[in-house]
Amino acid sequence: MGILEDLNLPTGVIYGDDVLKLFTYAREKGFAIPAVNVTSSSTVVAALEAARDARAPIILQTSQGGAAYFAGKGVKNSAEKQEASVVGAIAAAHYIRSIAPLYEIPVVLHTDHCAKKLLPWLDGMLEEDEKFFKQNGIPLFSSHMIDLSEEPVDENISTCVSYLKRMAPMKQWLEMEIGITGGEEDGVDNSGVDNAALYTQPEDIWKIEQAFRPVSKYFSIAAGFGNVHGVYAPGNVRLHPELLGKHQAYVSEKLGGTDKKPVFFVFHGGSGSSKEEYLEAISNGVVKVNVDTDMQWAYLTGIRDYITKNIDYLKTQVGNPEGPNKPNKKKYDPRVWIREGEKTMSARVAVCLQDFKTAGTL
């Protein structure tokens, strides 16, 4: 018994009620799903391979910068239109939708950290979602994330509600952030914020639940409990995942029902955290953990080690330690050295699947 049989989920990219069923099941069973930022077909493949081999679901997400990279660094990406980010995200979505069924696992197709200045990016993707929904009965993306954590709380909530109303007819999931995630990632630098801003208050979680629930049940909250993007020396980041348990208790009491964990929480800035911190957060209702920085490092190490090991074969097209006329094409073919990065990244995703208790859940 597992996700596919218990929930009757399809494989490939999932939407709407299937996403809700998956997150509900994860919260009930005590596991979370790694969310891997992808910037190319290569990183997509690395994540999918790990999830397939571990018999686990996976979340693939593109950031605004990652989506633009998917389209090409030489493509214009104006602040007003975000055209490269829009088209790159759409291209990534179609690619993932095309190949995900081959891996025979459920995949949540998500977009990450849309700040206020990046809302044109979200608008462009939602236009494509609505067009796709009209033709196919499902949106193109499973879910989107809006990050207005730097804005006043009431503005954050009201803006998110306006987008949730647009997404609700498509049963599309919305992830929102309340409480700032520190550090720096993908051009968003919160390294100098007041420490108090890293911790969300339970009253704010309740405000969100009150505003969102009448509109849609397809939403989650990235609450701050000391989270920081990136990886830092031990002791520099103080996480308090126990706060999420207090938020759950507060909302549960306000709702007055029997559900002790009514909120779907998201763990941002997961890279570099301890397994114990992950597990405590998961026990308090975290169903999704973002792990971008660790994946970037893992991808690099495979390529770095390959080049270091084979450096004498990579200086010229012809000529190596085996002879001056020996060709080196088999060593410098991109399919060889890029594949090494895929393998090390895939192995790192596999560690997350084990640590978050996602492995073997299918």
Side-chain angles (χ1 to χ4, degrees):
M1 302 292 283
I3 288 170
L4 296 181
E5 189 173 344
D6 291 349
L7 306 181
N8 194 30
L9 287 190
T11 57
V13 177
I14 62 173
Y15 300 90
D17 288 325
D18 288 332
V19 175
L20 177 61
K21 286 192 289 185
L22 175 60
F23 287 158
T24 301
Y25 189 86
R27 191 174 60 184
E28 290 174 352
K29 300 295 184 181
F31 67 90
I33 305 162
V36 180
N37 285 62
V38 293
T39 56
S40 64
S41 60
S42 179
T43 51
V44 168
V45 164
L48 289 176
E49 279 191 5
R52 178 201 62 195
D53 293 347
R55 301 301 298 150
I58 195 78
I59 300 169
L60 301 183
Q61 58 191 26
T62 59
S63 65
Q64 177 263 352
Y69 187 84
F70 224 106
K73 291 288 283 186
V75 179
K76 181 181 178 183
N77 200 34
S78 68
E80 298 77 20
K81 295 184 179 179
Q82 295 289 326
E83 48 268 75
S85 293
V86 171
V87 174
I90 292 169
H94 282 295
Y95 173 71
I96 292 167
R97 277 181 47 82
S98 297
I99 68 163
L102 294 174
Y103 291 82
E104 300 181 330
I105 57 171
V107 176
V108 177
L109 179 54
H110 184 61
T111 62
D112 191 28
H113 279 290
C114 181
K116 185 176 182 178
K117 66 182 180 180
L118 303 179
L119 287 175
W121 174 46
L122 179 58
D123 292 333
M125 292 188 292
L126 283 175
E127 287 176 13
E128 193 68 19
D129 280 318
E130 289 162 343
K131 188 187 305 181
F132 198 83
F133 181 79
K134 189 174 181 179
Q135 296 171 343
N136 302 282
I138 52 174
L140 180 58
F141 296 88
S142 311
S143 55
H144 295 294
M145 190 261 183
I146 299 177
D147 179 5
L148 302 181
S149 56
E150 294 185 0
E151 313 306 322
V153 171
D154 289 343
E155 179 186 343
N156 183 352
I157 294 173
S158 63
T159 302
C160 287
V161 166
S162 68
Y163 277 99
L164 188 60
K165 288 177 180 177
R166 185 174 176 182
M167 298 163 69
M170 298 182 284
K171 294 185 176 181
Q172 193 172 41
W173 196 273
L174 173 63
E175 176 186 324
M176 69 88 69
E177 182 163 356
I178 187 83
I180 293 172
T181 300
E184 189 276 333
E185 181 185 52
D186 207 7
V188 179
D189 188 353
N190 291 329
S191 55
V193 300
D194 182 357
N195 192 57
L198 303 180
Y199 299 95
T200 303
Q201 301 304 308
E203 292 82 3
D204 291 336
I205 301 296
W206 175 234
K207 272 188 177 182
I208 296 164
E209 292 285 330
Q210 283 181 297
F212 282 33
R213 282 174 177 260
V215 178
S216 172
K217 57 186 176 183
Y218 308 100
F219 70 92
S220 53
I221 302 172
F225 53 95
N227 318 56
V228 175
H229 286 134
V231 176
Y232 298 85
N236 283 6
V237 176
R238 297 185 182 278
L239 293 178
H240 290 279
E242 73 278 3
L243 294 177
L244 300 179
K246 294 179 180 180
H247 297 338
Q248 294 282 18
Y250 188 87
V251 173
S252 178
E253 182 181 356
K254 289 290 187 181
L255 290 172
T258 59
D259 190 352
K260 298 302 180 184
K261 289 191 288 188
V263 184
F264 293 104
F265 279 125
V266 175
F267 189 149
H268 278 204
S271 291
S273 301
S274 69
K275 185 176 179 179
E276 291 72 25
E277 288 167 333
Y278 290 136
L279 293 178
E280 185 170 3
I282 291 166
S283 73
N284 289 320
V286 162
V287 296
K288 172 180 180 278
V289 182
N290 289 10
V291 288
D292 183 35
T293 304
D294 280 347
M295 299 307 120
Q296 292 178 357
W297 175 250
Y299 190 83
L300 166 68
T301 59
I303 297 171
R304 177 202 65 194
D305 292 349
Y306 174 84
I307 291 175
T308 301
K309 180 181 177 181
N310 294 282
I311 191 64
D312 290 333
Y313 293 83
L314 302 175
K315 293 178 179 178
T316 57
Q317 285 188 288
V318 177
N320 59 51
E322 298 174 38
N325 298 317
K326 294 285 186 178
N328 294 317
K329 187 178 188 309
K330 290 183 179 180
K331 295 286 189 181
Y332 65 73
D333 185 331
R335 291 170 293 182
V336 176
W337 54 269
I338 289 176
R339 178 59 183 162
E340 294 305 309
E342 291 173 1
K343 289 192 286 189
T344 47
M345 177 177 165
S346 189
R348 187 63 185 85
V349 175
V351 171
C352 291
L353 292 166
Q354 287 291 337
D355 286 350
F356 308 162
K357 297 186 176 181
T358 335
T361 56
L362 294 190

